[in-house]
């Protein structure tokens, strides 16, 4: 362990050494932009899990892993003369200054804006600036830069938020609930026909409407579902533990009514 903490410069040098054809890491040398994308996504999810668990020492470690992904892409960019880590930082700082005129007067890091700004005003300004940026990239459609690679729930929510910016939105959550009832009825009808394609289509509409309802209620669909999944997992494990203490049988050996009784007990204990 060195006497002084390692720096960003040390991290960049480590990355250079890992990718050095003369004595570098064989695995790192085989990677390219496409091959490390799965690792990037995995690291982000591990960071999210650590935050949800409130395990902040682990959060710091996971943040380091996410930073390593950025440094890896930067090294690949430098090797191919596409961009450097310094350019990544410059682009980010420039964008932050541009998108926060209510903080940085005249786009200067030390420039101060004296007048206080409300959150709603910040959001309006943010979206206006992003529209200008999309126009500069010839992305004139409202939905043009919503990434296709986003997971389904956050992508649905982002599409809905974008549409809402131009007034294409439900007036309130009650109206979305009515639409939810409509979609449930359409799904029932599709199930009755047995048409697999229609069932899948209506199920998708139902899920999309659920995301819309979460948004209108001020909830993040991804976080809300992750919370529900964690709750289900926690209660299911309580069921397993209770059954193991009682007679050692597995859940698969129980009747529907016995499973329901265990579930009710697990909910009561939660």
């Amino acid at each position: 362990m060195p006497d002084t903490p390692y720096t960003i410069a040390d991290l960049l040098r480590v990355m250079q050494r890992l990718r050095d054809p003369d004595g570098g890491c064989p695995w790192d040398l085989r990677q390219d932009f496409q091959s490390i994308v799965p690792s990037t996504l995995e690291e982000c999810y591990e960071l999210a899990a650590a935050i949800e668990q409130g395990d902040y020492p682990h959060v710091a470690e996971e943040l380091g892993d996410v930073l390593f992904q950025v440094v890896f892409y930067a090294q690949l960019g430098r090797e191919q003369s596409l961009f450097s880590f310094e350019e990544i930082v410059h682009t980010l700082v420039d964008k932050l200054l541009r998108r926060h005129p209510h903080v940085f007067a005249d786009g200067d890091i030390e420039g101060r804006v004296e007048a206080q700004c409300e959150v709603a005003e910040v959001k309006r300004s943010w979206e206006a600036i992003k529209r200008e940026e999309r126009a500069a990239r010839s992305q004139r459609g409202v939905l043009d830069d919503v990434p296709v690679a986003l997971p389904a729930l956050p992508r649905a929510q982002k599409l809905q938020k974008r549409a809402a910016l131009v007034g294409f939105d439900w007036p309130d959550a009650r109206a979305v609930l009515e639409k939810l009832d409509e979609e449930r009825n359409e799904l029932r009808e599709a199930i009755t026909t047995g048409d697999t394609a229609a069932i899948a289509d209506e199920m998708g509409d139902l899920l999309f409407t659920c995301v819309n309802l979460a948004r209108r209620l001020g909830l993040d669909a991804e976080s809300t579902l992750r919370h529900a999944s964690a709750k289900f997992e926690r209660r299911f494990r309580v069921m397993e533990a209770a059954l193991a203490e009682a007679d050692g049988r597995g859940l698969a050996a129980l009747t529907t009514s016995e499973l329901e009784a265990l579930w009710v007990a697990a909910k009561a204990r939660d």
Side-chain angles (χ1 to χ4, degrees):
M1 187 73 179
D3 294 333
T4 58
Y6 290 120
T7 66
I8 283 289
D10 294 322
L11 176 58
L12 293 172
R13 179 56 182 155
V14 166
M15 189 70 252
Q16 289 175 344
R17 287 292 318 283
L18 290 173
R19 290 280 299 178
D20 189 344
D22 183 15
C25 172
W27 184 90
D28 289 294
L29 284 166
R30 290 181 59 186
Q31 304 313 307
D32 56 27
F33 281 106
Q34 288 72 31
S35 68
I36 62 173
V37 167
S39 296
T40 305
L41 295 173
E42 181 179 340
E43 297 298 355
C44 289
Y45 281 116
E46 289 180 359
L47 170 60
I51 292 172
E52 288 177 355
Q53 294 162 12
D55 184 357
Y56 292 105
H58 196 197
V59 168
E61 180 183 348
E62 295 298 342
L63 283 168
D65 291 342
V66 172
L67 176 58
F68 178 72
Q69 299 298 307
V70 175
V71 169
F72 207 138
Y73 289 116
Q75 179 63 27
L76 293 172
R78 181 181 290 278
E79 291 170 5
Q80 299 177 40
S81 299
L82 298 173
F83 53 80
S84 65
F85 182 78
E86 291 75 18
E87 289 174 284
I88 294 172
V89 173
H90 173 81
T91 301
L92 174 58
V93 173
D94 181 67
K95 181 165 61 176
L96 290 172
L97 294 175
R98 184 174 65 252
R99 290 185 177 179
H100 295 80
H102 52 286
V103 176
F104 304 104
D106 301 320
D108 185 88
I109 292 177
E110 300 304 330
R112 292 183 175 274
V113 176
E114 298 302 327
Q116 292 294 318
C117 189
E118 297 295 330
V119 172
E121 185 180 345
V122 171
K123 289 182 177 179
R124 285 193 296 270
S125 173
W126 179 274
E127 290 300 334
I129 292 169
K130 291 183 71 175
R131 281 197 300 272
E132 292 174 1
E133 292 173 354
R134 289 196 294 272
R137 296 193 297 266
S138 297
Q139 296 175 326
R140 303 198 178 276
V142 174
L143 309 178
D144 275 359
D145 66 338
V146 177
V148 176
L150 276 175
L153 278 179
R155 186 165 196 272
Q157 186 166 275
K158 197 170 186 67
L159 289 169
Q160 293 165 4
K161 283 183 177 179
R162 281 291 180 80
L165 291 174
V166 294
F168 192 74
D169 197 10
W170 300 102
D172 51 37
R174 186 179 298 277
V176 189
L177 277 171
E178 292 174 0
K179 180 63 176 177
L180 193 62
D181 290 337
E182 178 186 326
E183 296 295 353
R184 288 173 59 196
N185 290 333
E186 291 178 359
L187 177 58
R188 286 195 188 95
E189 292 173 8
I191 292 172
T192 300
T193 67
D195 185 334
T196 304
I199 292 170
D201 191 55
E202 296 300 341
M203 188 70 233
D205 289 346
L206 184 63
L207 289 170
F208 193 80
T209 306
C210 284
V211 173
N212 226 329
L213 179 59
R215 181 183 62 85
R216 291 300 303 179
L217 293 171
L219 301 171
D220 176 76
E222 176 77 11
S223 299
T224 303
L225 184 56
R226 286 173 65 85
H227 175 76
S229 296
K231 181 170 62 176
F232 173 83
E233 182 180 9
R234 185 173 63 248
R235 292 175 177 177
F236 194 87
R237 292 186 186 280
V238 170
M239 289 172 61
E240 289 179 316
L243 191 60
E245 291 175 4
D247 56 19
R249 287 185 297 166
L251 292 173
L254 301 186
T255 65
T256 301
S257 59
E258 288 174 323
L259 286 170
E260 178 64 21
L262 268 180
W263 178 253
V264 171
K267 287 178 65 175
R269 287 185 57 185
D270 191 17

